[in-house]
Amino acid sequence: MDIIAKLKEERAKLERERTKACAKYDRAIAEIDAATSTIIKARKAAPTSDDGSYDVIPRANISIDDAILEAVATGLQTPAKILNFLASDLGIETTINSVRTRVSRLGASGKLTRDQRGWVVADETQGATVASNSRVESLKQKGQVAETADKGAS
C-alpha cells in the first residue's frame, strides 16, 4: 500500500474515532440548546418587573387546584410543603392561606381526604388512597419522588 493511501486511511480512522468520542458532547449540547429555547419562549410570555427582570417563568399551564392535587399525589401532605412545591417546581406564586383554603375546599368536594399524616388524594374506589400512598412510599424509596417532598415545614 502506498504511503498516501496509508495516511488517508489513518486520517479516516481518526475522524471516525473523533465523531464517536464527540457524540456524547453533541447530545449534551443539543439538550442545552433545547432547554435554552424553552426558557426563551417562556420568558417571552412571562411577566416582567419594572427593572426588566423576570418575576416568574411559567413552567406549567395548570390550575392551582390541579397543581395542589399533583403535589398531594407526589406525597406532599401539608399546606407548607404544597406551597413550596407550587413555587419552586411549578413557578406558581400564591400564599399559604390560599393553599389552605383550596386544600379545605378540595377536601370538602371529596377530591382530597385527611389521614394521620396529612392530606391525601381521595380515589373513587375503596382502598385506592392506601394504594396511592403505598405507591408514593415505593417511589420515595427508589428516589423517584421529587426532592421537594422532603422540603418545607409542616
Side-chain angles (χ1 to χ4, degrees):
M1 186 182 276
D2 182 24
I3 188 75
I4 293 174
K6 286 183 180 181
L7 289 172
K8 285 183 178 182
E9 184 180 309
E10 184 64 24
R11 184 180 190 287
K13 179 182 172 188
L14 290 171
E15 281 182 351
R16 285 191 303 273
E17 289 177 12
R18 181 184 66 189
T19 300
K20 183 178 177 182
C22 291
K24 68 179 179 180
Y25 299 111
D26 292 340
R27 284 190 299 274
I29 289 169
E31 289 174 6
I32 290 170
D33 289 345
T36 302
S37 175
T38 301
I39 292 169
I40 289 169
K41 288 177 185 175
R43 283 185 173 175
K44 286 181 181 177
T48 58
S49 61
D50 292 337
D51 66 359
S53 63
Y54 295 95
D55 292 334
V56 176
I57 298 175
R59 296 187 187 173
N61 187 13
I62 186 172
S63 72
I64 294 176
D65 286 352
D66 287 341
I68 289 171
L69 290 171
E70 180 182 332
V72 173
T74 62
L76 304 173
Q77 297 175 316
T78 65
K81 290 179 181 179
I82 293 167
L83 177 65
N84 185 43
F85 173 82
L86 296 177
S88 64
D89 288 19
L90 299 179
I92 296 173
E93 295 295 324
T94 189
T95 65
I96 190 69
N97 289 332
S98 175
V99 171
R100 286 183 181 129
T101 300
R102 288 173 183 274
V103 166
S104 293
R105 194 172 343 122
L106 288 167
S109 70
K111 292 181 180 179
L112 292 178
T113 188
R114 286 189 61 81
D115 68 7
Q116 68 276 11
R117 295 167 295 172
W119 292 100
V120 293
V121 176
D123 293 327
E124 295 174 9
T125 58
Q126 186 177 7
T129 299
V130 173
S132 175
N133 287 331
S134 298
R135 182 177 173 275
V136 170
E137 292 302 319
S138 172
L139 291 173
K140 281 183 182 177
Q141 290 174 357
K142 294 178 184 176
Q144 295 175 351
V145 172
E147 289 296 320
T148 57
D150 297 323
K151 291 182 185 174
S154 296

